[in-house]
Amino acid sequence: SYHPLMFVPTTSLIEGNAAEGLALRLAETETSLIVVHTALDVAKPGTADAMLAEIGLGAQGTFAPVDDIGGGEIGRIGKFDAPVTFDQFVATVADVVSSTVRTSMTHPDLVETVGIVPGSGGRFAADAARLVDVYVSGDIGHHDANEAVAKGIGLIDAGHAPTERPGVRALYATVCEASPNAIMVDDDPHPWEG
């Protein structure tokens, strides 16, 4: 699995449709669950590399150290051969993630360098601001966005799960090389309407 089954510790497993119920069913059937989320986020190639590839860019480097996960760097930088307009880039990102996106009111007219952290990358926006024209992530909060915009960077919040999907597709392709009968379960529920 890419995402962990549970994001907070639990003290009991109970029947039902919640994560604790699925964990109970896994335990009852002696089924192991291997989760690659954070490892794939910092791996080269990883989730950000996959998103850059779908945008049509290669990774030029990383920009955000992640000490709280045992080291490594998260986030990739991509560079266009020739600058594109901000609106063109927004349309490309929206197409790649198959979703609507939010953008900052302050952004460059032209985009040459791009920073990407799929998932919840708001806390890395300020790190990206010193290196790129536009930062793409999901779950960019109010304060992180204000700080990054004040440093002169354009922002695209393309959603948590949508920005992770290119990496999940790449992971599935890799798994299929080892296990051709693998089945992609891409049920991607979220709590929001619309």
Side-chain angles (χ1 to χ4, degrees):
S1 173
Y2 174 70
H3 271 132
L5 179 58
M6 293 184 223
F7 288 90
V8 295
T10 186
T11 58
S12 63
L13 302 179
I14 56 173
E15 291 184 9
N17 293 326
E20 293 82 3
L22 181 53
L24 179 62
R25 290 192 294 281
L26 289 171
E28 288 173 343
T29 59
E30 298 181 359
T31 302
S32 298
L33 177 64
I34 299 169
V35 178
V36 298
H37 187 291
T38 304
L40 191 58
D41 286 347
V42 298
K44 296 177 187 176
T47 53
D49 298 284
M51 187 161 174
L52 276 175
E54 289 195 18
I55 289 170
L57 298 173
Q60 304 288 314
T62 60
F63 61 85
V66 189
D67 296 329
D68 59 336
I69 58 169
E73 289 204 324
I74 195 166
R76 299 294 185 270
I77 298 170
K79 185 174 182 179
F80 287 100
D81 292 333
V84 299
T85 68
F86 183 76
D87 290 341
Q88 287 172 318
F89 183 61
V90 169
T92 298
V93 170
D95 185 52
V96 165
V97 300
S98 300
S99 182
T100 56
V101 301
R102 297 188 306 172
T103 61
S104 60
M105 296 293 290
T106 304
H107 55 76
D109 293 331
L110 295 176
V111 176
E112 186 173 5
T113 55
V114 176
I116 293 181
V117 172
S120 183
R123 71 180 171 138
F124 303 110
D127 292 322
R130 60 190 166 81
L131 299 169
V132 301
D133 301 320
V134 176
Y135 178 63
V136 181
S137 191
D139 298 339
I140 302 174
H142 176 86
H143 299 292
D144 291 324
N146 277 338
E147 180 182 357
V149 167
K151 292 181 178 183
I153 191 173
L155 297 176
I156 300 175
D157 186 330
H160 185 116
T163 57
E164 293 175 332
R165 288 182 190 133
V168 171
R169 288 190 286 268
L171 173 63
Y172 177 63
T174 299
V175 169
C176 284
E177 290 174 13
S179 181
N181 296 326
I183 298 170
M184 172 81 141
V185 179
D186 60 358
D187 181 27
D188 198 3
H190 60 77
W192 310 111
E193 291 185 22

